[in-house]
């Protein structure tokens, strides 16, 4: 190659190198700025969520989601510096996202429900809840599932969509609960006396609270008995201890006072034919 040809080639490359060099520098600058902005946005988002006392699992996830979202926009902007038609790229990316979303529809539903659980907190770790058709103590709240331990020590993993898609009963959300019991007495027994002795038993019981006041009232005139409803209030943490102890106390109190606890009976009458 002659010197003149080489010089001509160099002269033609200089404008090309200048044009594309500026584009490369601009693209690199956009990527660097995008990386810095993504990191700063991630940190600010996580700080805000921590101040709002959002679950740590959700804090990290949302922070990463924001970071990668900013980086995605930076990459698209950098590609645009090279003259690449980002509109078609975004269209393809959106179509791919839609296809993935349809394929993972169930998982995305669980994910959305998990975010709602972590944000609105219908229950927390250690609560006894009834949800998704099962009852247990909450052991773990994840993005996709919630783990419960049943009273008989079975571990049950419930999809979050089932948790948020149905009724949630939180038995330990409040500090005080009412114990609902029934004391049955015979029709021949003194209802006023039975009510009086049961009220005295509740007043003396160490687990029964004074406020709200306990209640004893006639609840039903059954086939073989008069059923008295016994409704004391106790601390939630002592609910089952109070339930079992009060059941025993009702029987002992009625026996001591000579008040019968009837059981179903049937009178059979025999007639002689003819």
């Amino acid at each position: 190659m002659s010197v003149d040809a080489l010089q001509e080639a160099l002269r033609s490359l200089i404008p090309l190198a200048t044009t594309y060099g500026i584009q490369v520098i601009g693209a690199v600058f956009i990527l660097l700025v995008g990386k810095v902005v993504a990191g700063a946005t991630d940190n600010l988002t996580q700080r805000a969520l921590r101040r709002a006392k959002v679950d740590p699992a959700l804090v990290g996830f949302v922070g990463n989601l924001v970071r990668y979202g900013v980086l995605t926009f930076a990459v698209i902007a950098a590609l645009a510096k090279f003259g690449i038609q980002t509109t078609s790229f975004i269209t393809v990316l959106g179509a791919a996202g839609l296809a993935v979303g349809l394929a993972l529809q169930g998982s995305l539903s669980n994910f959305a429900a998990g975010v709602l659980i972590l944000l609105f907190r219908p229950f927390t770790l250690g609560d006894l809840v009834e949800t998704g058709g099962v009852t247990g103590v909450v052991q773990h709240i994840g993005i996709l599932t919630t783990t419960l331990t049943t009273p008989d020590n079975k571990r049950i993993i419930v999809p979050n969509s089932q948790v948020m898609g149905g009724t949630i009963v939180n038995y330990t959300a409040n500090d005080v609960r009412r114990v609902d019991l029934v004391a049955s007495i015979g029709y021949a027994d003194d209802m006023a006396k039975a009510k009086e002795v049961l009220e005295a038993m509740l007043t003396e019981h160490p687990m029964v609270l004074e406020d709200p006041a306990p209640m004893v009232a006639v609840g039903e005139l059954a086939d073989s008995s008069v059923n008295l409803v016994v409704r004391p209030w106790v601390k939630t943490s002592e609910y089952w201890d109070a339930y079992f102890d009060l059941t025993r106390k009702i029987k002992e109190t009625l026996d001591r006072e000579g008040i019968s606890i009837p059981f179903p009976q049937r009178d059979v009458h025999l007639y002689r034919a003819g």
Side-chain angles (χ1 to χ4, degrees):
M1 179 181 295
S2 65
V3 176
D4 292 338
L6 182 59
Q7 289 177 347
E8 184 63 28
L10 290 175
R11 279 195 297 267
S12 62
L13 286 176
I14 288 174
L16 189 63
T18 302
T19 302
Y20 283 101
I22 294 174
Q23 292 178 345
V24 170
I25 293 173
V28 172
F29 177 77
I30 291 174
L31 290 175
L32 292 176
V33 171
K35 184 177 180 181
V36 173
V37 172
T41 308
D42 181 6
N43 292 332
L44 289 174
T45 302
Q46 294 198 34
R47 288 177 188 173
L49 293 176
R50 289 193 187 98
R51 282 197 297 269
K53 296 182 179 179
V54 177
D55 190 273
L58 185 59
V59 171
F61 178 81
V62 173
N64 288 332
L65 193 64
V66 171
R67 174 193 290 269
Y68 290 121
V70 174
L71 287 176
T72 300
F73 282 113
V75 170
I76 293 174
L79 291 175
K81 292 294 294 182
F82 290 103
I84 298 175
Q85 294 297 324
T86 56
T87 304
S88 57
F89 177 76
I90 294 173
T91 303
V92 172
L93 190 62
L98 178 61
V100 172
L102 292 174
L104 300 177
Q105 186 174 1
S107 297
L108 291 176
S109 175
N110 289 327
F111 166 75
V115 172
L116 293 177
I117 292 173
L118 294 172
L119 284 176
F120 295 105
R121 291 182 173 275
F123 48 78
T124 59
L125 298 180
D127 284 351
L128 176 64
V129 300
E130 179 182 344
T131 182
V134 296
T135 301
V137 177
V138 180
Q139 298 295 332
H140 176 71
I141 304 173
I143 293 296
L144 299 177
T145 61
T146 296
T147 303
L148 306 178
T149 298
T150 64
D152 57 346
N153 205 32
K154 292 185 294 188
R155 176 176 293 180
I156 299 181
I157 300 174
V158 185
N160 286 334
S161 59
Q162 293 185 19
V163 174
M164 293 301 294
T167 302
I168 301 174
V169 180
N170 191 330
Y171 293 103
T172 52
N174 299 321
D175 296 331
V176 174
R177 281 187 65 186
R178 190 181 72 187
V179 181
D180 291 346
L181 299 169
V182 176
S184 299
I185 64 174
Y187 273 94
D189 292 305
D190 188 339
M191 288 190 299
K193 179 182 179 182
K195 184 174 181 293
E196 180 181 350
V197 297
L198 289 175
E199 288 176 343
M201 181 271 293
L202 294 176
T203 301
E204 297 171 359
H205 198 281
M207 296 184 190
V208 176
L209 301 176
E210 295 181 3
D211 184 26
M215 182 187 74
V216 179
V218 178
E220 181 186 13
L221 300 177
D223 293 338
S224 303
S225 64
V226 176
N227 296 333
L228 305 178
V229 292
V230 182
R231 295 179 175 175
W233 292 82
V234 300
K235 294 180 180 179
T236 301
S237 59
E238 298 177 341
Y239 177 85
W240 287 111
D241 291 336
Y243 180 92
F244 295 126
D245 194 59
L246 287 169
T247 301
R248 177 179 61 85
K249 286 284 189 181
I250 289 173
K251 173 68 165 62
E252 293 176 350
T253 300
L254 295 180
D255 285 348
R256 185 173 61 250
E257 297 296 330
I259 299 173
S260 63
I261 301 179
F263 51 87
Q265 301 181 49
R266 178 174 297 175
D267 293 333
V268 179
H269 302 270
L270 299 178
Y271 297 93
R272 180 174 297 176

